[in-house]
Amino acid sequence: MTWPPPLEPRLVGLAGRDAAAVGEAATRYGYEYATSDWRELIADDRIGLIDNGGPNSLHAEPTIAAAQAGKHVVCEKPLGRDADESYEIWKQVAATGVKHLCGFNYRFVPAVRLAREMIEAGELGEVRHFRGRYLQDWAEDPSLDTWRFAPNDAGSGAIGDIGTHVIDLGRFLNGEITSVSGLVKTFVAGRKVDDALEAAVEFDNGSIGTIEGTRLALGRRNALQWEINGSKGSLAFDMERLNELQVFRADGDRARGFKTVLVSEADHPFWEFWWPPGHIIGWGDTFVHELHHMLAAIANDTDIAPYGATFEDGYRASEVGDAILRSSTSGQRETLAYRTL
């Protein structure tokens, strides 16, 4: 879709835990070979970029090894199983000088990018509130035993799986989070990771907000929703209506309320790649934008930040998640103290 691409990728090797499954996937997607040992990819001098979509427990070692071998790296979120591991990944990878991107793909939704541009342009005035929530309903079954429900593999439950997306979008749209007061809860008997989280947060710009995440909101399939209120207007978004941005301007007719903007015009973010106005795109296309951004940074030696999430962003999201968990345990408000390199 993004023809010509910044770089034209050659699909060399694909690694996975199940030899038969990864072999089938390599054939399906056109990789030259498949392996059940990720170390083979690191040792292959033909490979210049590693995309790590493995379980959270396999984010650190392969990603660091790839960077130390001189390969650029993409790593899925959460960057690590906790803030300590995330910080170590960032520190080790940053020291190599390779390009690194953490997979917060919702930064690459056209409506989200348009919102960021409007906020940067001052169209909302003084931002006062951010409220974000990610609601899913698929985790009710107590017999679920994938890696997402194993503490050693996942690190956390809803916090790292979906809460981290809300945290990152809060930071992306509204700036750094400075303090949190959180509640974390496990509802399903016998489950060893969290099912849900709620947090009241304060941002560096003085605004306040809420962050919510649950995998037990029956009827909500993939409802990533956020709203930002400022002195001049408000913006609202729902992932289940991915191509729409709700816009309210205080200088307009208040009786008319929010206006629905279909983010598909030729001058809207990312739309140079797609269809005529009104012909919407889908969730998977956000990864096209994300990987295009990564390839352009490699080709042109440009920064991943501020629009792409670096490993520092991945670490900071984990630091906020850990603070929410600590606050829930202690019953006290937690002030964030971010580490630097």
Side-chain angles (χ1 to χ4, degrees), residues 103-271:
F104 287 112
N105 63 299
Y106 295 136
R107 291 183 175 217
F108 293 90
V109 174
V112 172
R113 176 65 65 83
L114 180 60
R116 165 76 183 240
E117 293 176 358
M118 293 175 68
I119 294 166
E120 286 182 323
E123 294 188 38
L124 296 192
E126 177 193 20
V127 175
R128 294 163 175 168
H129 302 286
F130 170 87
R131 60 189 65 83
R133 62 182 193 171
Y134 203 156
L135 312 179
Q136 296 179 340
D137 70 351
W138 59 276
E140 187 74 30
D141 185 352
S143 69
L144 289 169
D145 62 355
T146 67
W147 66 264
R148 294 181 186 275
F149 298 93
N152 288 340
D153 290 334
S156 64
I159 291 176
D161 186 17
I162 55 180
T164 191
H165 273 303
V166 185
I167 293 166
D168 182 69
L169 283 177
R171 294 184 61 250
F172 181 63
L173 295 170
N174 196 34
E176 207 60 76
I177 294 170
T178 57
S179 68
V180 302
S181 181
L183 287 172
V184 178
K185 181 90 171 183
T186 300
F187 291 96
V188 178
R191 183 163 289 167
K192 297 180 180 180
V193 297
D194 54 281
D195 287 320
L197 67 133
E198 303 276 354
V201 302
E202 185 174 12
F203 292 85
D204 190 54
N205 63 8
S207 64
I208 59 175
T210 57
I211 290 172
E212 178 183 12
T214 179
R215 301 186 289 197
L216 300 178
L218 298 185
R220 298 295 185 183
R221 306 303 290 168
N222 193 43
L224 172 58
Q225 303 162 334
W226 55 259
E227 181 172 321
I228 297 180
N229 309 119
S231 59
K232 294 181 180 179
S234 296
L235 300 173
F237 173 80
D238 185 345
M239 176 58 63
E240 293 181 347
R241 304 186 70 87
L242 180 147
N243 291 269
E244 297 178 1
L245 183 65
Q246 301 293 317
V247 179
F248 175 82
R249 299 182 188 277
D251 58 0
D253 184 354
R254 288 180 179 269
R256 296 182 182 274
F258 279 87
K259 175 183 178 181
T260 299
V261 175
L262 185 63
V263 187
S264 68
E265 295 296 325
D267 60 347
H268 282 156
F270 308 113
W271 222 261

Side-chain angles (χ1 to χ4, degrees), residues 59-117:
H59 285 184
E61 188 180 3
T63 300
I64 292 170
Q68 291 177 341
K71 304 179 192 302
H72 305 290
V73 283
V74 174
C75 185
E76 252 308 317
K77 45 59 49 190
L79 184 58
R81 288 170 288 183
D82 56 24
D84 288 342
E85 187 172 68
S86 297
Y87 178 75
E88 189 64 22
I89 297 171
W90 171 39
K91 182 175 72 173
Q92 295 285 347
V93 171
T96 69
V98 302
K99 303 294 183 185
H100 48 87
L101 182 146
C102 188
F104 287 112
N105 63 299
Y106 295 136
R107 291 183 175 217
F108 293 90
V109 174
V112 172
R113 176 65 65 83
L114 180 60
R116 165 76 183 240
E117 293 176 358

